[in-house]
């Protein structure tokens, strides 16, 4: 059976972009078609300045939201990355295979290191090396497929390179995974800046719909979304990115086609109102389930304990084999 791995960072509150771009496919497709492992990758949240209490809080919130969205512990494995030691164990071995040059070429390192310097902060070494930890996340579980967006494809390519290099030097150990770009995943842009992706850690949250926003907040944000010159509603990402983003949201929430939907509207205001209604209704059951789950933290804790144990069963023998292959003496 195909094995897939994917993770989500607890660096901010999860957004509509996270849900439509990844999580909904995990729920509706991936957990049913494959041996699926999903992780809250909390170690990745430590690569920049952070509040420890907030990381813990967001990690629990992310896990609870993934369950509320419909991940089923009977169908998939849900766990927190730091609860499975094999991720960190394997990361160091892969650092011994990776090169400084290929890590410095990572686009996200270039972008985030500039932002850190501009903020007067030091650039943490972990910001440079975290793509290796990401590779360890994938390779430790023998994943065949990694569902990713366009911005993470470079990291999966690095993972493939490290797996091939390790296998060539030390004997076949790792499955070489492939990146999968889900065709049904929606591309959700910031409501205030429709040329930028809706990101959970953006400083200004005015253009971001968070999964736990109440209905009135969702409506207000969508009604204030940036639109484009003119009054003709048409689906054209290049000419009318604001309207195209609203049509994409409407299509994702209702199952329609954005180009076809455009023909049903004579004004931007009507499109905004219907989009707001559709998104509110899409998120309503998720928020209700989150409220119920948040009231029973013991259940969430047990799911994460069980998930970590299942993940260790998969990862430990493979990582132990890698330790032996690279030349380390087995423990007595």
């Amino acid at each position: 059976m195909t094995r897939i791995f994917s993770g989500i960072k607890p660096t901010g509150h999860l957004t509509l972009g996270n849900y439509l771009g990844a999580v909904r496919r995990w729920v509706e497709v991936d957990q049913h078609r494959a041996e699926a492992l999903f992780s809250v990758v909390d170690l990745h949240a430590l690569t920049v300045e952070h509040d420890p209490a907030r990381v813990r809080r967001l990690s629990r919130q992310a896990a609870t939201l993934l369950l509320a969205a419909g991940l089923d512990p009977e169908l998939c494995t849900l766990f927190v990355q730091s609860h499975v030691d094999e991720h960190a164990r394997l990361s160091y071995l892969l650092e011994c295979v990776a090169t400084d040059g290929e890590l410095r070429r990572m686009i996200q390192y270039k972008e985030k290191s500039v932002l850190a310097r501009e903020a007067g902060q030091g650039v943490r070494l972990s910001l440079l090396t975290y793509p290796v930890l990401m590779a360890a996340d994938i390779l430790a579980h023998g994943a065949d497929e990694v569902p990713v967006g366009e911005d993470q494809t470079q990291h999966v390519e690095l993972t493939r390179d490290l797996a091939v290099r390790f296998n060539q030097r030390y004997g076949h150990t790792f499955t070489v995974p492939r990146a999968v770009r889900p065709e049904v995943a929606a591309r959700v842009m910031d409501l205030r800046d429709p040329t930028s992706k809706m990101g959970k850690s953006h400083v200004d949250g005015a253009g971001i719909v968070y999964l736990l926003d109440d209905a009135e907040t969702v409506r207000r944000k969508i009604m204030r979304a940036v639109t484009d010159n003119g009054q003709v509603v048409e689906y054209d990402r290049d000419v009318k990115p604001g309207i195209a983003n609203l049509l994409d949201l409407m299509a994702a929430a209702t199952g329609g086609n954005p180009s076809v939907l455009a023909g049903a509207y004579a004004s931007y205001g009507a499109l905004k109102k219907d989009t707001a209604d559709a998104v509110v209704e899409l998120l309503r059951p998720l928020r209700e389930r989150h409220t119920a789950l948040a009231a029973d933290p013991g259940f969430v804790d047990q799911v994460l304990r069980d998930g970590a144990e299942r993940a260790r069963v998969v990862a430990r023998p493979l990582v132990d084999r890698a330790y032996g292959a690279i030349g380390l003496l087995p423990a007595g």
Side-chain angles (χ1 to χ4, degrees):
M1 190 175 188
T2 299
R3 183 177 294 164
I4 68 173
F5 175 90
S6 198
I8 197 159
K9 288 191 293 186
T11 51
H13 299 288
L14 298 190
T15 72
L16 182 62
N18 296 130
Y19 178 68
L20 294 178
V23 174
R24 186 164 68 170
R25 180 182 169 86
W26 297 355
V27 169
E28 296 179 354
V29 178
D30 290 335
Q31 68 174 341
H32 299 283
R33 73 174 179 86
E35 182 182 353
L37 298 99
F38 302 110
S39 181
V40 179
V41 287
D42 53 344
L43 295 175
H44 291 291
L46 311 184
T47 61
V48 294
E49 291 291 334
H50 65 277
D51 173 14
R54 186 170 187 265
V55 171
R56 285 191 291 270
R57 185 170 64 253
L58 290 177
S59 296
R60 174 179 291 280
Q61 184 186 95
T64 305
L65 278 168
L66 291 176
L67 291 170
L71 287 187
D72 184 348
E74 298 298 319
L75 297 175
C76 68
T77 298
L78 175 63
F79 68 101
V80 175
Q81 177 193 31
S82 64
H83 294 177
V84 180
D85 293 345
E86 281 66 31
H87 290 251
R89 288 180 62 208
L90 181 56
S91 183
Y92 180 73
L93 294 196
L94 297 179
E95 286 183 13
C96 297
V97 176
T99 67
D100 174 79
E102 62 191 344
L103 294 182
R104 292 188 185 278
R105 288 193 293 272
M106 294 288 109
I107 294 171
Q108 291 204 18
Y109 171 72
K110 292 179 180 179
E111 294 176 347
K112 291 183 179 181
S113 61
V114 168
L115 293 175
R117 292 188 183 97
E118 289 176 348
Q121 302 169 355
V123 179
R124 300 186 181 195
L125 179 61
S126 57
L127 186 62
L128 176 67
T129 61
Y130 94 89
V132 179
L133 176 58
M134 185 181 295
D137 298 337
I138 298 165
L139 298 180
H141 298 286
D144 302 290
E145 296 182 2
V146 187
V148 291
E150 185 177 357
D151 60 337
Q152 293 294 333
T153 302
Q154 187 184 34
H155 291 150
V156 180
E157 288 305 311
L158 175 68
T159 301
R160 290 172 54 85
D161 291 343
L162 295 180
V164 169
R165 194 176 305 156
F166 192 102
N167 290 345
Q168 289 175 341
R169 290 180 182 176
Y170 307 113
H172 184 78
T173 305
F174 298 118
T175 298
V176 180
R178 59 186 179 276
V180 177
R181 296 284 304 281
E183 294 180 4
V184 298
R187 184 186 184 202
V188 182
M189 313 304 281
D190 191 287
L191 294 169
R192 305 297 293 173
D193 177 11
T195 62
S196 299
K197 188 176 74 168
M198 185 181 286
K200 59 180 176 291
S201 55
H202 197 283
V203 175
D204 180 7
I208 303 171
V209 174
Y210 297 104
L211 296 184
L212 294 180
D213 280 344
D214 60 53
E216 288 311 306
T217 299
V218 173
R219 291 183 197 280
R220 183 174 66 253
K221 288 180 176 180
I222 293 177
M223 293 304 294
R224 293 178 179 176
V226 168
T227 52
D228 311 287
N229 294 330
Q231 288 299 317
V232 178
V233 178
E234 58 183 337
Y235 186 71
D236 188 325
R237 278 202 161 274
D238 295 325
V239 177
K240 294 193 171 185
I243 292 301
N245 192 34
L246 291 171
L247 289 166
D248 279 335
L249 285 178
M250 172 69 86
T254 63
N257 179 289
S259 297
V260 174
L261 287 170
Y265 292 93
S267 71
Y268 292 173
L271 172 61
K272 284 184 174 183
K273 181 182 181 303
D274 285 359
T275 301
D277 289 344
V279 172
V280 165
E281 186 56 30
L282 176 72
L283 296 182
R284 180 185 55 77
L286 185 152
R287 286 200 306 272
E288 291 174 353
R289 288 193 294 268
H290 176 270
T291 298
L293 287 167
D296 186 9
F299 172 77
V300 177
D301 288 343
Q302 189 61 53
V303 168
L304 295 177
R305 280 194 295 269
D306 292 345
E309 182 57 36
R310 290 201 299 271
R312 280 192 289 268
V313 168
V314 172
R316 185 165 294 166
L318 196 157
V319 175
D320 284 348
R321 190 160 69 248
Y323 266 58
I326 205 170
L328 298 177
L329 190 67

